[in-house]
Short mmCIF file of all heavy atoms in Angstrom, two decimals:
data_model
loop_
_atom_site.label_atom_id
_atom_site.label_comp_id
_atom_site.label_asym_id
_atom_site.label_seq_id
_atom_site.Cartn_x
_atom_site.Cartn_y
_atom_site.Cartn_z
N ARG A 118 -84.23 131.41 -29.37
CA ARG A 118 -85.24 131.62 -28.32
C ARG A 118 -86.46 130.73 -28.55
O ARG A 118 -87.00 130.13 -27.62
CB ARG A 118 -85.64 133.10 -28.30
CG ARG A 118 -86.60 133.46 -27.18
CD ARG A 118 -86.75 134.97 -27.06
NE ARG A 118 -87.15 135.58 -28.32
CZ ARG A 118 -86.38 136.39 -29.05
NH1 ARG A 118 -85.17 136.67 -28.63
NH2 ARG A 118 -86.82 136.91 -30.18
N GLY A 119 -86.88 130.61 -29.82
CA GLY A 119 -88.04 129.80 -30.12
C GLY A 119 -87.81 128.32 -29.86
O GLY A 119 -88.65 127.63 -29.27
N LEU A 120 -86.65 127.82 -30.29
CA LEU A 120 -86.35 126.40 -30.10
C LEU A 120 -86.24 126.03 -28.63
O LEU A 120 -86.82 125.03 -28.17
CB LEU A 120 -85.05 126.04 -30.83
CG LEU A 120 -85.18 125.68 -32.30
CD1 LEU A 120 -83.80 125.56 -32.94
CD2 LEU A 120 -85.95 124.37 -32.48
N LEU A 121 -85.50 126.83 -27.87
CA LEU A 121 -85.35 126.53 -26.44
C LEU A 121 -86.66 126.69 -25.69
O LEU A 121 -86.93 125.96 -24.73
CB LEU A 121 -84.26 127.42 -25.84
CG LEU A 121 -82.84 127.15 -26.34
CD1 LEU A 121 -81.86 128.14 -25.72
CD2 LEU A 121 -82.40 125.72 -26.02
N SER A 122 -87.49 127.64 -26.12
CA SER A 122 -88.78 127.83 -25.48
C SER A 122 -89.71 126.66 -25.72
O SER A 122 -90.59 126.36 -24.91
CB SER A 122 -89.44 129.13 -25.98
OG SER A 122 -88.70 130.26 -25.57
N GLU A 123 -89.54 125.97 -26.86
CA GLU A 123 -90.33 124.77 -27.12
C GLU A 123 -90.09 123.73 -26.02
O GLU A 123 -90.97 122.93 -25.70
CB GLU A 123 -89.95 124.17 -28.48
CG GLU A 123 -90.38 124.97 -29.68
CD GLU A 123 -91.85 124.80 -30.00
OE1 GLU A 123 -92.49 123.88 -29.43
OE2 GLU A 123 -92.38 125.58 -30.81
N TYR A 124 -88.90 123.77 -25.46
CA TYR A 124 -88.50 122.79 -24.45
C TYR A 124 -88.81 123.27 -23.03
O TYR A 124 -89.62 122.68 -22.32
CB TYR A 124 -87.02 122.48 -24.62
CG TYR A 124 -86.39 121.65 -23.55
CD1 TYR A 124 -87.12 120.70 -22.85
CD2 TYR A 124 -85.04 121.78 -23.24
CE1 TYR A 124 -86.53 119.92 -21.87
CE2 TYR A 124 -84.44 121.01 -22.28
CZ TYR A 124 -85.19 120.08 -21.58
OH TYR A 124 -84.61 119.31 -20.61
N THR A 125 -88.18 124.37 -22.64
CA THR A 125 -88.31 124.82 -21.25
C THR A 125 -89.38 125.88 -21.06
O THR A 125 -89.70 126.22 -19.92
CB THR A 125 -86.97 125.41 -20.75
OG1 THR A 125 -86.67 126.60 -21.49
CG2 THR A 125 -85.84 124.42 -20.92
N GLY A 126 -89.92 126.43 -22.15
CA GLY A 126 -90.82 127.55 -21.99
C GLY A 126 -90.04 128.79 -21.60
O GLY A 126 -88.81 128.79 -21.55
N PRO A 127 -90.72 129.89 -21.30
CA PRO A 127 -90.03 131.11 -20.85
C PRO A 127 -89.23 130.82 -19.57
O PRO A 127 -89.78 130.36 -18.58
CB PRO A 127 -91.17 132.10 -20.59
CG PRO A 127 -92.32 131.58 -21.39
CD PRO A 127 -92.18 130.08 -21.38
N SER A 128 -87.93 131.06 -19.62
CA SER A 128 -87.06 130.77 -18.47
C SER A 128 -85.81 131.61 -18.57
O SER A 128 -85.67 132.44 -19.47
CB SER A 128 -86.69 129.28 -18.43
OG SER A 128 -85.89 128.94 -19.54
N LEU A 129 -84.88 131.37 -17.67
CA LEU A 129 -83.64 132.14 -17.63
C LEU A 129 -82.88 132.05 -18.94
O LEU A 129 -82.30 133.04 -19.40
CB LEU A 129 -82.76 131.65 -16.48
CG LEU A 129 -81.46 132.39 -16.23
CD1 LEU A 129 -81.73 133.82 -15.78
CD2 LEU A 129 -80.61 131.67 -15.19
N ILE A 130 -82.88 130.89 -19.59
CA ILE A 130 -82.07 130.72 -20.80
C ILE A 130 -82.81 131.17 -22.06
O ILE A 130 -82.21 131.23 -23.13
CB ILE A 130 -81.60 129.27 -20.99
CG1 ILE A 130 -82.80 128.33 -21.20
CG2 ILE A 130 -80.74 128.83 -19.83
CD1 ILE A 130 -82.39 126.95 -21.66
N THR A 131 -84.10 131.47 -21.96
CA THR A 131 -84.86 131.88 -23.14
C THR A 131 -85.34 133.31 -23.07
O THR A 131 -85.76 133.88 -24.09
CB THR A 131 -86.08 130.97 -23.37
OG1 THR A 131 -86.97 131.09 -22.25
CG2 THR A 131 -85.66 129.52 -23.51
N SER A 132 -85.31 133.90 -21.89
CA SER A 132 -85.87 135.25 -21.70
C SER A 132 -84.82 136.32 -21.95
O SER A 132 -83.61 136.07 -21.89
CB SER A 132 -86.43 135.40 -20.28
OG SER A 132 -87.44 134.45 -20.04
N GLU A 133 -85.31 137.53 -22.18
CA GLU A 133 -84.45 138.70 -22.33
C GLU A 133 -85.13 139.89 -21.66
O GLU A 133 -86.32 139.84 -21.32
CB GLU A 133 -84.17 138.97 -23.81
CG GLU A 133 -83.42 137.83 -24.46
CD GLU A 133 -83.07 138.07 -25.92
OE1 GLU A 133 -83.93 137.89 -26.78
OE2 GLU A 133 -81.91 138.44 -26.17
N GLY A 134 -84.37 140.95 -21.48
CA GLY A 134 -84.95 142.16 -20.92
C GLY A 134 -85.41 141.97 -19.48
O GLY A 134 -84.81 141.22 -18.70
N PRO A 135 -86.52 142.61 -19.08
CA PRO A 135 -87.01 142.54 -17.69
C PRO A 135 -87.30 141.13 -17.22
O PRO A 135 -87.04 140.79 -16.06
CB PRO A 135 -88.29 143.39 -17.73
CG PRO A 135 -88.10 144.33 -18.88
CD PRO A 135 -87.31 143.56 -19.90
N ALA A 136 -87.85 140.27 -18.10
CA ALA A 136 -88.16 138.90 -17.70
C ALA A 136 -86.88 138.15 -17.34
O ALA A 136 -86.85 137.37 -16.37
CB ALA A 136 -88.91 138.18 -18.83
N TRP A 137 -85.82 138.34 -18.14
CA TRP A 137 -84.54 137.69 -17.84
C TRP A 137 -83.96 138.21 -16.52
O TRP A 137 -83.46 137.42 -15.70
CB TRP A 137 -83.56 137.94 -18.98
CG TRP A 137 -82.18 137.45 -18.69
CD1 TRP A 137 -81.74 136.16 -18.70
CD2 TRP A 137 -81.05 138.24 -18.29
NE1 TRP A 137 -80.41 136.09 -18.35
CE2 TRP A 137 -79.96 137.36 -18.10
CE3 TRP A 137 -80.86 139.61 -18.11
CZ2 TRP A 137 -78.71 137.81 -17.71
CZ3 TRP A 137 -79.60 140.06 -17.72
CH2 TRP A 137 -78.55 139.16 -17.53
N LYS A 138 -84.02 139.50 -16.31
CA LYS A 138 -83.49 140.08 -15.07
C LYS A 138 -84.23 139.54 -13.85
O LYS A 138 -83.62 139.27 -12.81
CB LYS A 138 -83.58 141.60 -15.13
CG LYS A 138 -82.62 142.24 -16.13
CD LYS A 138 -82.74 143.75 -16.14
CE LYS A 138 -81.78 144.38 -17.15
NZ LYS A 138 -81.92 145.85 -17.20
N GLN A 139 -85.54 139.38 -13.97
CA GLN A 139 -86.31 138.84 -12.85
C GLN A 139 -85.91 137.39 -12.57
O GLN A 139 -85.70 137.01 -11.41
CB GLN A 139 -87.80 138.91 -13.15
CG GLN A 139 -88.66 138.41 -11.99
CD GLN A 139 -90.13 138.31 -12.34
OE1 GLN A 139 -90.50 137.56 -13.23
NE2 GLN A 139 -90.96 139.08 -11.66
N SER A 140 -85.79 136.57 -13.63
CA SER A 140 -85.39 135.18 -13.44
C SER A 140 -84.01 135.09 -12.81
O SER A 140 -83.77 134.31 -11.89
CB SER A 140 -85.41 134.44 -14.78
OG SER A 140 -86.72 134.17 -15.20
N LYS A 141 -83.10 135.90 -13.30
CA LYS A 141 -81.73 135.86 -12.78
C LYS A 141 -81.70 136.27 -11.31
O LYS A 141 -80.98 135.66 -10.50
CB LYS A 141 -80.84 136.79 -13.61
CG LYS A 141 -79.37 136.74 -13.21
CD LYS A 141 -78.53 137.66 -14.09
CE LYS A 141 -77.07 137.63 -13.68
NZ LYS A 141 -76.24 138.54 -14.51
N SER A 142 -82.47 137.30 -10.95
CA SER A 142 -82.49 137.77 -9.57
C SER A 142 -83.06 136.72 -8.62
O SER A 142 -82.73 136.70 -7.43
CB SER A 142 -83.30 139.07 -9.46
OG SER A 142 -84.68 138.83 -9.69
N ARG A 143 -83.91 135.85 -9.14
CA ARG A 143 -84.49 134.80 -8.31
C ARG A 143 -83.62 133.54 -8.26
O ARG A 143 -83.50 132.90 -7.20
CB ARG A 143 -85.88 134.41 -8.85
CG ARG A 143 -86.95 135.47 -8.65
CD ARG A 143 -88.24 135.04 -9.36
NE ARG A 143 -89.36 135.93 -9.04
CZ ARG A 143 -90.59 135.80 -9.55
NH1 ARG A 143 -90.82 134.80 -10.42
NH2 ARG A 143 -91.55 136.62 -9.22
N VAL A 144 -83.03 133.18 -9.38
CA VAL A 144 -82.32 131.90 -9.47
C VAL A 144 -80.88 131.98 -9.00
O VAL A 144 -80.39 131.11 -8.27
CB VAL A 144 -82.38 131.37 -10.92
CG1 VAL A 144 -81.55 130.09 -11.05
CG2 VAL A 144 -83.82 131.11 -11.34
N ARG A 145 -80.15 133.03 -9.40
CA ARG A 145 -78.72 133.09 -9.07
C ARG A 145 -78.44 133.00 -7.58
O ARG A 145 -77.50 132.29 -7.17
CB ARG A 145 -78.10 134.36 -9.66
CG ARG A 145 -76.60 134.46 -9.39
CD ARG A 145 -75.96 135.66 -10.07
NE ARG A 145 -75.80 135.46 -11.49
CZ ARG A 145 -74.79 134.78 -12.04
NH1 ARG A 145 -73.88 134.21 -11.26
NH2 ARG A 145 -74.69 134.67 -13.33
#
Side-chain angles (χ1 to χ4, degrees):
R118 185 169 55 248
L120 274 171
L121 293 177
S122 294
E123 290 282 348
Y124 171 31
T125 66
S128 66
L129 183 66
I130 64 168
T131 63
S132 300
E133 297 182 279
W137 173 76
K138 290 180 180 179
Q139 182 188 62
S140 286
K141 184 179 179 181
S142 68
R143 289 174 172 179
V144 175
R145 182 175 285 279

